[in-house]
Structure formats: structure tokens, C-alpha cells
Amino acid sequence: MASVWVPVDDMDRARAFYRDTLGLSEQKTTEDWSEFDANGLMIGLNAREGTGHSHGGAVITFQPEGDIEAEVAELKGKGVEFSGGISDHPWGRIAPFKDSEGNDLQFYAPPS
């Protein structure tokens, strides 16, 4: 996979979330498009054209380098709300949250 495009309502707010809250490196930005490097995966923020916010679609999953609890605590400290906390499954652990535009994101940790 080379990239994921994420629809956004407010480009400045979305850029701040991906850059300042998630700590991703911003690579390129225009009024309608911004690119962020997520450990080799390009996340493209694509400005909506008055279509309104639609729910559903892809979920971007980040795998923390360290402890999932520490990553959740760090983002909570930046005001991110997690819907349901960390859940445990036979295939790993997840902690779902949303970006500033309402798109679904999550942390994933493989089983130990």
C-alpha cells in the first residue's frame, strides 16, 4: 500500500491534528491537499467539495512502536477521545478514536 486519502472538512484543523496531535511529518500542502508520512505510508488529506461528511469507509490503523497504553494516554492528554478504550482480541488489541474531521482511526498492537 502506498497511500490513503482521507476526506476533510477543514484543512487547517485536519493538518493540525495529523501534524501536532499525531506527530506525523507533513510533506506537502496546498489549499485542497496535504500529505503526511506515516512511517512510509502517505496519508493524503483531501478537501471536500461541499459534499458534506459521510460516515464509514477506511479505518487508518497505527501500530505504536511502544506500549499501546502509553500512546492512548499521550493522545488523551492532547484532547483525543477514545470510544471504548483498549479492547483485547485473540488477534491483538485495538484502541479506536477519530481524527478532527470524524474519520475513524485506531491503534493496533499484535498479540504478545
Side-chain angles (χ1 to χ4, degrees), residues 7-27:
V8 302
D9 294 316
D10 182 319
M11 184 62 73
D12 291 335
R13 179 178 63 202
R15 287 177 55 228
F17 180 86
Y18 282 84
R19 180 190 60 236
D20 303 335
T21 303
L22 294 182
L24 300 180
S25 174
E26 190 168 18
Q27 303 297 305

Side-chain angles (χ1 to χ4, degrees), residues 67-106:
D67 185 62
I68 193 170
E69 286 87 356
E71 293 291 336
V72 168
E74 181 178 340
L75 287 193
K76 280 185 177 181
K78 294 179 178 180
V80 175
E81 294 182 25
F82 284 79
S83 56
I86 301 169
S87 59
D88 296 298
H89 307 274
W91 41 264
R93 306 175 77 203
I94 62 168
F97 60 103
K98 293 192 181 285
D99 70 8
S100 61
E101 307 306 296
N103 295 300
D104 292 317
L105 308 176
Q106 69 182 7

